[in-house]
Amino acid sequence: MKYIDEFRDGELARGIAATIAAEVQPARRYRLMEFCGGHTHAISRYGLLDLLPPAVRMIHGPGCPVCVLPIGRIDSAIELAREHGVILCTYADTLRVPASGGLSLTRAKAQGADIRMVYSCDDALRIAQENPAREVVFFAIGFETTTPPTAAIIRQAAALDVPNFSVFCNHVLTPAAMVHIMESEGDPDAVALDGFVGPAHVSTVIGSQPYEAFAAHYHRPVVISGFEPLDVMQSILMLVRQINAGRAEVENQFTRAVSREGNRKAQALVAEIFELREAFDWRGLGEVPRSALQIRPAFARFDAERRYGIGYRQVADPKACECAAILRGHKHPADCKVFGTVCTPDHPIGACMVSSEGACAAYYTYGRFNVVVKEAGVA
């Protein structure tokens, strides 16, 4: 299949790996964060860590939408369905994220709440039109990739004048989170980083330009990468070369989809409907300034937070769960005591075990046996 097979060529991957091994400097360590959960999934699925020399360490970042969604926001969504009697619509992965009291949206649904999985926000608007006597709330989550469709559906709801439809907005922003990670350097729980594998889908919307000031200010290279194994390997090689040369620039490996300017039409649509929040609570990162969006006052009648008086609610993660440290890159999934035992994709304790993009789920599916083999000393 075009654009797939040529980026999964094992011989080429081994060739890039050999080049990386030849170019890394023996006395140097290359600590690279792949921000996006899609890259974490690709690295685990295709066994890319096994191709890299020991000097290159990949650190999983917080770029999985459901992983960074704080428990308090899920509790609020459950409350909307149970206490306000709304039809709550959301994407599939969100349904299984653990909430307070052993609940999740799936379990709340099993107990009678009207919670429905949708494939797009258009489905949520359709449900509102088909049920004019019920209130319908779309529980919107995700990074810049899923924000334009939410903006489009709010504008459509306004144009159609659908009074029983609203959106519980939880859209977050990538560059602000990257800044927060770098600003945390020096904290005891922070991890030192030498470069970033930049997100792919997010960058198709915002372009490569927003990372330029970040790379210059923190003197860390950023290479925007596609999701196929050769994309990721080539991006790692590009980062190694920048680090060796003392450069800190934004390079775009994913030129077949990402431009410097991004999707200007989508950006304009998002700017029309949303504005920056002063701060937002991220699971693992805590409160991050200007890192999320809220619905503009002009569209307040479609804002579920205003309609139902949803406020800030901070809820701590389960004590046994290490999701917060894993999302900061401070710990590896295998460092968590409940990983692969009581916490599995079928029974997630933490959010990182829910989505296939979550570091724990990716590592459980593709990498946990490697740990067993290496710990046992098997060649």
Side-chain angles (χ1 to χ4, degrees):
M1 183 182 294
K2 187 168 178 57
Y3 297 125
I4 297 293
D5 293 340
E6 61 262 51
F7 292 97
R8 296 181 180 178
D9 187 306
E11 202 59 41
L12 283 176
R14 283 186 283 274
I16 297 173
T19 304
I20 293 172
E23 296 196 18
V24 296
Q25 298 173 355
R28 190 166 221 163
R29 293 294 176 267
Y30 302 79
R31 297 158 296 191
L32 311 178
M33 173 174 277
E34 84 273 5
F35 184 91
C36 181
H39 291 134
T40 301
H41 180 89
I43 288 168
S44 296
R45 179 181 179 185
Y46 296 104
L48 302 187
L49 294 181
D50 293 336
L51 295 175
L52 297 175
V56 178
R57 178 190 171 199
M58 301 305 297
I59 298 166
H60 311 312
C64 161
V66 300
C67 299
V68 298
L69 189 63
I71 292 175
R73 302 295 280 187
I74 306 167
D75 288 349
S76 295
I78 292 173
E79 190 175 297
L80 282 173
R82 297 176 76 177
E83 298 184 15
H84 293 275
V86 310
I87 300 174
L88 187 83
C89 301
T90 192
Y91 299 128
D93 281 348
T94 316
L95 295 174
R96 299 176 58 242
V97 180
S100 298
L103 275 178
S104 64
L105 290 171
T106 296
R107 290 183 177 177
K109 177 181 175 65
Q111 294 175 2
D114 196 345
I115 297 171
R116 307 185 188 185
M117 186 199 80
V118 293
Y119 291 100
S120 77
C121 44
D122 297 84
D123 292 339
L125 183 60
R126 175 183 52 77
I127 290 169
Q129 292 174 300
E130 292 173 351
N131 297 270
R134 300 281 308 278
E135 289 287 327
V136 176
V137 176
F138 176 58
F139 185 24
I141 74 158
F143 289 89
E144 291 90 336
T145 318
T146 53
T147 306
T150 305
I153 209 65
I154 291 174
R155 191 164 72 173
Q156 187 175 354
L160 297 173
D161 193 19
V162 183
N164 61 325
F165 176 77
S166 60
V167 172
F168 181 22
C169 177
N170 295 272
H171 287 300
V172 290
L173 303 172
T174 302
M178 292 172 64
V179 167
H180 184 80
I181 290 169
M182 290 308 302
E183 289 290 331
S184 300
E185 274 202 328
D187 292 348
D189 288 342
V191 61
L193 298 170
D194 299 301
F196 286 81
V197 176
H201 290 158
V202 163
S203 302
T204 63
V205 176
I206 68 173
S208 63
Q209 189 175 16
Y211 308 103
E212 292 174 359
F214 169 85
H217 181 78
Y218 294 103
H219 199 69
R220 297 293 190 282
V222 178
V223 175
I224 297 165
S225 174
F227 285 124
E228 296 301 327
L230 290 190
D231 290 323
V232 179
M233 291 297 290
Q234 185 181 17
S235 299
I236 293 170
L237 176 60
M238 293 165 74
L239 283 169
V240 167
R241 286 176 171 170
Q242 281 208 51
I243 294 167
N244 286 347
R247 293 187 290 120
E249 301 168 3
V250 178
E251 293 183 317
N252 181 13
Q253 183 276 335
F254 198 32
T255 53
R256 61 188 186 277
V258 173
S259 65
R260 183 172 183 270
E261 295 77 20
N263 186 331
R264 289 286 175 82
K265 189 173 183 179
Q267 293 167 20
L269 177 59
V270 169
E272 175 189 342
I273 306 296
F274 295 110
E275 62 184 8
L276 276 176
R277 291 180 190 266
E278 286 302 313
F280 192 77
D281 192 31
W282 291 54
R283 188 184 297 226
L285 302 185
E287 195 171 272
V288 181
R290 302 175 73 79
S291 66
L293 299 173
Q294 62 187 10
I295 298 171
R296 288 188 180 277
F299 297 91
R301 62 191 174 116
F302 300 105
D303 187 346
E305 287 182 74
R306 288 185 172 96
R307 184 176 295 192
Y308 299 100
I310 300 171
Y312 177 72
R313 179 186 300 183
Q314 187 172 33
V315 181
D317 286 329
K319 289 183 179 178
C321 175
E322 296 282 8
C323 272
I326 292 167
L327 287 166
R328 294 195 303 272
H330 182 60
K331 290 192 175 182
H332 187 276
D335 296 331
C336 180
K337 293 179 180 177
V338 297
F339 172 79
T341 54
V342 295
C343 184
T344 66
D346 289 334
H347 182 70
I349 302 296
C352 296
M353 191 59 94
V354 174
S355 167
S356 64
E357 294 188 358
C360 294
Y363 207 74
Y364 181 89
T365 305
Y366 301 110
R368 70 188 192 278
F369 298 115
N370 289 342
V371 173
V372 174
V373 170
K374 289 175 181 174
E375 287 181 346
V378 178

